[in-house]
Amino acid sequence: MSHLESATPQQPQQMLKRQVCYTCNFPTRTCICKALPSEPLAPLFQRCRIVVLQHPHELRRKNRSLPLVDLCLFGKSNGEKNETNSTSQSTSLDKTNQDFVMRTVVGRRFGDQCDEAVLRLLRDPNEVVVAVFPHPQALDLEKGIRLADERCGLVNDNSESTSNNATDTRQRHKKITLVFVDATWKHAKEMDKSNSEMGKWPENLIRVQMTPSETISNNTNDASTDTKINSKTFVQRRFQIRAPPSPDHLSTAECLAWVASYVERNPVIYEKITKVLDYIVDIWKGFSKDEKSNGGWDSMTQKKRKITQNKVNGD
């Protein structure tokens, strides 16, 4: 070795970082901005607010659907900050400390570590809280939301009549709080059971569950389908990146979009969110074909398999 070669310091190898889209926080080669709504959907939420109880393992998944909802509602990703903060991007839209569009609580159950505004809603007996999750006592979506509307004073409300009762006025403008569980179905069942056994659910909780296949068949010939999700819009097993147990088991994003559209009586919410879901599934299919042709596994599938093998540790 020459003197010049021995005197030259060895350059350290540097990891090349992937270029990431500033708006959606996806790698530039999988940017989904063209599928996002031209305007954020958050202003469309006038009758309800969203609370998502997210299992901690979901933060480690690359194939989760909830970040897509966040992008549709608020327009720009918070990046990694969203993964470490229990409050979603809705903070910037708060008019008061309790008025928000969507908040995400990371944990296996609701507790004192949760966002204060969320805890107030869950603990206030005057608030109307609807948990969207299969349960033996759950009502179907239509009956459950009708009951919630009645408690909010939104059913048979005569807009021409006036009342001097301030309580009645506040009740007519009360929002429904929709609660979703974001986890694998195994973990979601454990979370629901844990919240029930430890008394974390509100005493006056309204439980609803969805059967999309039955709902679509019943609404196909309904004249009022302009305000509902119709048979042309609904696609079974839409979010193919994660296989559901049955066609009536939806991803968190699709379930949230469906229920919010129903409550707000605005099918645009569902259509805009599912457009993004369809777009990212198409991207995933393209990569899956490449991986299979090369004799490899899809990276999203690998990530999913690793997580499902982890044991659930108690809090």
Side-chain angles (χ1 to χ4, degrees), residues 43-158:
L44 301 181
F45 285 68
Q46 301 295 319
R47 298 166 61 92
C48 69
R49 63 175 68 87
I50 306 297
V51 172
V52 180
L53 179 62
Q54 185 181 64
H55 194 283
H57 286 186
E58 288 298 307
L59 293 179
R60 296 157 46 190
R61 293 181 177 273
K62 302 300 182 183
N63 57 353
R64 52 202 172 104
S65 64
L66 190 60
L68 304 178
V69 177
D70 205 58
L71 285 168
C72 290
L73 264 58
F74 308 108
K76 186 178 181 302
S77 173
N78 269 351
E80 296 301 319
K81 292 181 180 180
N82 255 358
E83 300 188 2
T84 57
N85 194 340
S86 63
T87 304
S88 182
Q89 220 173 6
S90 57
T91 304
S92 60
L93 297 178
D94 286 357
K95 296 179 182 178
T96 67
N97 198 26
Q98 189 168 299
D99 187 12
F100 58 86
V101 176
M102 185 177 81
R103 289 195 177 175
T104 302
V105 175
V106 179
R108 292 177 173 83
R109 54 182 174 267
F110 294 109
D112 294 335
Q113 78 284 359
C114 296
D115 182 273
E116 292 183 2
V118 172
L119 284 181
R120 278 200 299 271
L121 289 169
L122 296 179
R123 293 172 177 176
D124 188 343
N126 295 317
E127 290 295 334
V128 180
V129 182
V130 177
V132 185
F133 192 78
H135 190 272
Q137 298 178 352
L139 304 172
D140 65 52
L141 183 62
E142 185 175 357
K143 292 181 180 179
I145 298 304
R146 185 187 301 120
L147 175 59
D149 281 342
E150 290 174 355
R151 292 185 182 180
C152 287
L154 296 174
V155 175
N156 297 326
D157 181 29
N158 185 358

Side-chain angles (χ1 to χ4, degrees), residues 9-284:
Q10 185 177 2
Q11 297 294 330
Q13 294 182 350
Q14 295 182 353
M15 296 292 293
L16 296 178
K17 293 184 178 180
R18 291 186 301 177
Q19 292 184 339
V20 176
C21 173
Y22 177 75
T23 300
C24 67
N25 203 45
F26 275 71
T28 51
R29 65 186 299 211
T30 58
C31 173
I32 62 171
C33 289
K34 64 173 63 176
L36 295 176
S38 56
E39 297 292 336
L41 301 180
L44 301 181
F45 285 68
Q46 301 295 319
R47 298 166 61 92
C48 69
R49 63 175 68 87
I50 306 297
V51 172
V52 180
L53 179 62
Q54 185 181 64
H55 194 283
H57 286 186
E58 288 298 307
L59 293 179
R60 296 157 46 190
R61 293 181 177 273
K62 302 300 182 183
N63 57 353
R64 52 202 172 104
S65 64
L66 190 60
L68 304 178
V69 177
D70 205 58
L71 285 168
C72 290
L73 264 58
F74 308 108
K76 186 178 181 302
S77 173
N78 269 351
E80 296 301 319
K81 292 181 180 180
N82 255 358
E83 300 188 2
T84 57
N85 194 340
S86 63
T87 304
S88 182
Q89 220 173 6
S90 57
T91 304
S92 60
L93 297 178
D94 286 357
K95 296 179 182 178
T96 67
N97 198 26
Q98 189 168 299
D99 187 12
F100 58 86
V101 176
M102 185 177 81
R103 289 195 177 175
T104 302
V105 175
V106 179
R108 292 177 173 83
R109 54 182 174 267
F110 294 109
D112 294 335
Q113 78 284 359
C114 296
D115 182 273
E116 292 183 2
V118 172
L119 284 181
R120 278 200 299 271
L121 289 169
L122 296 179
R123 293 172 177 176
D124 188 343
N126 295 317
E127 290 295 334
V128 180
V129 182
V130 177
V132 185
F133 192 78
H135 190 272
Q137 298 178 352
L139 304 172
D140 65 52
L141 183 62
E142 185 175 357
K143 292 181 180 179
I145 298 304
R146 185 187 301 120
L147 175 59
D149 281 342
E150 290 174 355
R151 292 185 182 180
C152 287
L154 296 174
V155 175
N156 297 326
D157 181 29
N158 185 358
S159 58
E160 297 180 356
S161 64
T162 58
S163 172
N164 295 325
N165 191 325
T167 302
D168 292 342
T169 303
R170 287 194 300 269
Q171 188 178 21
R172 281 200 300 270
H173 294 86
K174 185 181 296 182
K175 287 186 176 181
I176 299 172
T177 300
L178 300 174
V179 182
F180 300 86
V181 179
D182 184 39
T184 63
W185 284 101
K186 175 180 180 295
H187 289 160
K189 291 177 181 179
E190 294 172 353
M191 293 162 68
D192 178 52
K193 181 179 179 181
S194 176
N195 278 281
S196 297
E197 292 177 347
M198 300 193 69
K200 300 299 183 181
W201 289 122
E203 292 184 2
N204 59 346
L205 177 70
I206 299 175
R207 288 183 175 272
V208 302
Q209 61 187 13
M210 299 170 55
T211 51
S213 56
E214 294 181 10
T215 303
I216 291 301
S217 62
N218 291 337
N219 289 340
T220 301
N221 299 320
D222 192 342
S224 61
T225 51
D226 57 325
T227 61
K228 297 179 180 179
I229 301 167
N230 55 51
S231 56
K232 294 181 180 180
T233 307
F234 176 69
V235 177
Q236 291 185 350
R237 304 182 189 274
R238 180 176 232 124
F239 197 59
Q240 298 178 24
I241 297 175
R242 297 175 71 168
S246 77
D248 282 334
H249 288 74
L250 308 182
S251 66
T252 301
E254 190 174 6
C255 182
L256 188 155
W258 182 305
V259 178
S261 292
Y262 187 89
V263 174
E264 297 291 345
R265 294 161 173 74
N266 190 345
V268 171
I269 296 173
Y270 182 81
E271 293 167 4
K272 294 294 184 181
I273 293 178
T274 52
K275 178 182 178 181
V276 180
L277 290 180
D278 292 341
Y279 187 81
I280 198 170
V281 167
D282 287 340
I283 294 176
W284 171 77

